[in-house]
């Protein structure tokens, strides 16, 4: 059974930084997709960043490029999202997600929530100006 547990959400001032963590367990393969998504009230869930463990390849939403960085610590199966230069548009509930068996032949994980089967409970990030 795949399980994900996020942590690290908090309230910060604009310009500040946070690091989110997602502890993953239950993957039977070492090649799978991990991702960070976020959703704020009245908006659709947005793919923030993804990580393909098969090639250590990351993708980022245009809105976070240059400010956020996703990484995976393979020693403890924990996905991180380092968020810098936060602004009020980053306020949202952040979800960690994984697809243990992605389509064969991929080189990146597409940040489409429909392609991820397992989800964490979410962690709240609030940025005040």
């Amino acid at each position: 059974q795949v399980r994900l547990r996020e942590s690290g959400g908090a309230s910060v001032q604009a310009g500040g930084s946070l690091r989110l963590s997602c502890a993953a367990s239950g993957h039977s393969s070492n090649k799978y997709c991990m991702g960070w998504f976020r959703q704020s009230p009245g908006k659709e869930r947005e793919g923030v960043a993804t990580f393909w463990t098969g090639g250590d390849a990351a993708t980022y939403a245009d809105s976070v490029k240059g400010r956020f960085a996703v990484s995976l610590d393979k020693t403890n199966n924990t996905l991180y999202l380092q968020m810098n230069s936060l602004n009020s548009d980053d306020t949202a509930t952040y979800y960690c997600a994984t697809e243990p068996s992605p389509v064969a032949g991929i080189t990146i994980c597409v940040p489409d929530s429909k392609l991820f089967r397992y989800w964490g409970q979410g962690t709240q990030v609030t940025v005040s100006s």
Side-chain angles (χ1 to χ4, degrees), residues 69-108:
V70 63
S71 61
L72 178 70
D73 185 338
K74 296 182 181 180
T75 63
N76 60 14
N77 293 324
T78 299
L79 185 74
Y80 298 101
L81 184 68
Q82 178 66 43
M83 305 186 295
N84 300 322
S85 301
L86 287 162
N87 59 60
S88 56
D89 290 338
D90 298 317
T91 295
T93 301
Y94 283 71
Y95 297 91
C96 176
T98 187
E99 173 45 60
S101 301
V103 174
I106 64 168
T107 56
I108 61 168

Side-chain angles (χ1 to χ4, degrees), residues 18 23 34-35 37 59 61 73 76 79 84 93 114 129:
L18 277 178
M34 295 286 292
F37 294 78
T59 70
D73 185 338
N76 60 14
L79 185 74
N84 300 322
T93 301
K114 296 187 292 296
S129 55

Side-chain angles (χ1 to χ4, degrees), residues 17-37:
S17 297
L18 277 178
R19 188 177 78 159
L20 305 182
S21 301
C22 174
S25 62
H27 288 92
S28 58
S29 166
N30 62 356
K31 294 184 179 181
Y32 50 90
C33 282
M34 295 286 292
W36 287 101
F37 294 78

